Amino acid sequence: MQEPEKRIDNISYAPPRSAYFWLAGIFAIVFAIIYITLVLFVHFEATVTGVLGMNNTEANTLYVFVFAFFLIALYVYMAVSRKELLYSLKRVGALMTVFTLVVVINIVLISFNPYLICVALTSMLVLPFSKKSDAFVLNAFSCWISSFVLIATLDYSEFPAVAFTLLAGMICGAVATYSFPSSMTRVVSVLRSFVTGVVTIIVYGVLLSTYSLDIKPFTDNVMYIGISVAGEILLTAVVVPIVEWVFNMVSDFKLMELTNHKAPLIKRLSKEAPGTFNHCLAVANFAEICADAIGEDPYLARACAYYHDVGKLNNVEYFTENQAGVNPHDEILPEVSAEIIRKHTIDGYELCKKYRIPDEIARMTIEHHGTLPIMYFYNKAKSLTDGEVNIDEYRYYGEIPTGKIGAVLMICDSAEAAIRAMDNPTGDKVDKLLKGMIDDRLKLGQFDNCAITMKDLNAIRLAIVGAYGGLYHKRIKYNIKRSDGINV
């Protein structure tokens, strides 16, 4: 039995000040790798002094200032505009690993031909793991750095390659990022790469037509651009699964695997706790609809709902949905009952870690009840004693939601259970129930640590009311007599 005073104090999602220093450390490593790669390339491969015509000392000094400028600008973007990335430095590490890999690949490719540079690879590698804005910005920075490398190592005759890298990097990065919906099926991924490749060739043709009317440069270099495009498609197919595995990251492909009913932990849940499994499926339907209604990732919301109650596997028979007429809580003290119920949150987190479930999903096990008290057993304890009962001993072991999906899951989890328990629920009754439920959680500060708005909460409520009819509709009773005498 777990001790009542045990809390999840070591799991916190508010970015501490140390996160900014860790972020700076990651960028310092990125700077060192790119700088060393460029210096080695210039020393062993470059045959000219570049457009600027500097000696080695001057060039190395310029490399330091230029790379520092680009990386400081990128640091400011992440620390200010994408502060939520600081909640998970693992995600930052994955994104910057992809960024560094692409820049290093481009520096190496320059030694063969400047038109082999992968102008949209960063976008295609980042997009499965982060927001579109991150994919576009990181792709732009990788192309800017690659353009500077070209300036530093090529002569004036290769100036079109610099212009091509800058122009194609911005245009093709935007096409790769924004040309298709966020859903990343394998067909969409390949089609995205193909369209980006076509646009790359078109951009080069248009650029060359303004620089020279000679068709020969186009025919000479279009083959290299084609190889680059094919390489981007191949590298995307190879690198994305590797990044998924190494960093245990969430992508649409990974989410599809996790929500497959043959996934190990889901399969175990369906066999050992079928009531909880069915509850998770119903919550997942609500969560997906609600997440879509407020602009969040519906696939991530569904996956979080699938795993949010896996902690009940440790004490299956103590949860109502898995009981078959016998309630073991009738035989034990309310404080013992509360301890069993409230610890399923941390049990779930530990199980998710054991099964290597990504943290974005695993942490929902400790967020879906927040720090709410278990009122049934609290009131039962009060009825059995004349003294004071400490309500904190009846609160779930958990943390309040740190993101909108956590808030969605908290509402959908409680709503599904409450609606199922209602007698003759109607749309008006469900709406009234949800208003009260959301209001209670607001008063108890359960949404104080996430950016959810009243507009979002209203959209969630309306989405659940709208979905209620489809999920809990009544079936018509048909009185049909079969030949064997059984009425159906």
Side-chain angles (χ1 to χ4, degrees), residues 286-299 301 405 408 459-460 463:
F286 278 143
E288 184 173 359
I289 294 168
C290 292
D292 191 53
I294 62 172
E296 291 294 308
D297 186 347
Y299 306 112
I405 288 183
V408 165
I460 292 169

Side-chain angles (χ1 to χ4, degrees), residues 277-289:
F277 174 69
N278 287 318
H279 162 71
C280 290
L281 295 184
V283 173
N285 288 328
F286 278 143
E288 184 173 359
I289 294 168

Side-chain angles (χ1 to χ4, degrees), residues 31 63-75 141 144:
F31 173 87
Y63 300 157
V64 170
F65 279 105
V66 171
F67 288 162
F69 170 78
F70 283 130
L71 292 178
I72 289 172
L74 189 55
Y75 177 91
F141 274 93
W144 293 340

Side-chain angles (χ1 to χ4, degrees), residues 45 55 62 95 146 156 247 251 306 351 475 482:
E45 294 292 338
N55 60 41
L62 182 63
L95 297 182
S146 300
Y156 286 101
F247 291 94
S251 70
Y306 267 57
L351 267 175
R475 294 188 177 272
R482 299 197 323 187

Side-chain angles (χ1 to χ4, degrees), residues 384-404:
L384 295 176
T385 181
D386 294 330
E388 291 293 326
V389 177
N390 186 357
I391 195 170
D392 288 335
E393 295 181 0
Y394 290 82
R395 293 185 186 278
Y396 284 100
Y397 291 129
E399 300 285 341
I400 62 176
T402 56
K404 290 186 179 182

Side-chain angles (χ1 to χ4, degrees), residues 123-138:
S123 284
M124 290 189 282
L125 292 180
V126 169
L127 198 57
F129 306 108
S130 197
K131 291 187 175 182
K132 290 184 175 182
S133 59
D134 296 334
F136 179 77
V137 169
L138 285 170

Side-chain angles (χ1 to χ4, degrees), residues 450-462:
C450 63
I452 200 161
T453 64
M454 292 303 299
K455 182 180 179 181
D456 292 331
L457 293 172
N458 188 53
I460 292 169
R461 176 177 59 83
L462 294 176

Side-chain angles (χ1 to χ4, degrees), residues 1 6 46 54 80 161-162 174 196 216 258 294 384 441 462:
M1 181 70 64
K6 183 174 181 180
M54 297 181 296
V80 176
V162 179
T196 303
K216 190 175 185 303
L258 290 172
I294 62 172
L384 295 176
R441 281 151 181 74
L462 294 176

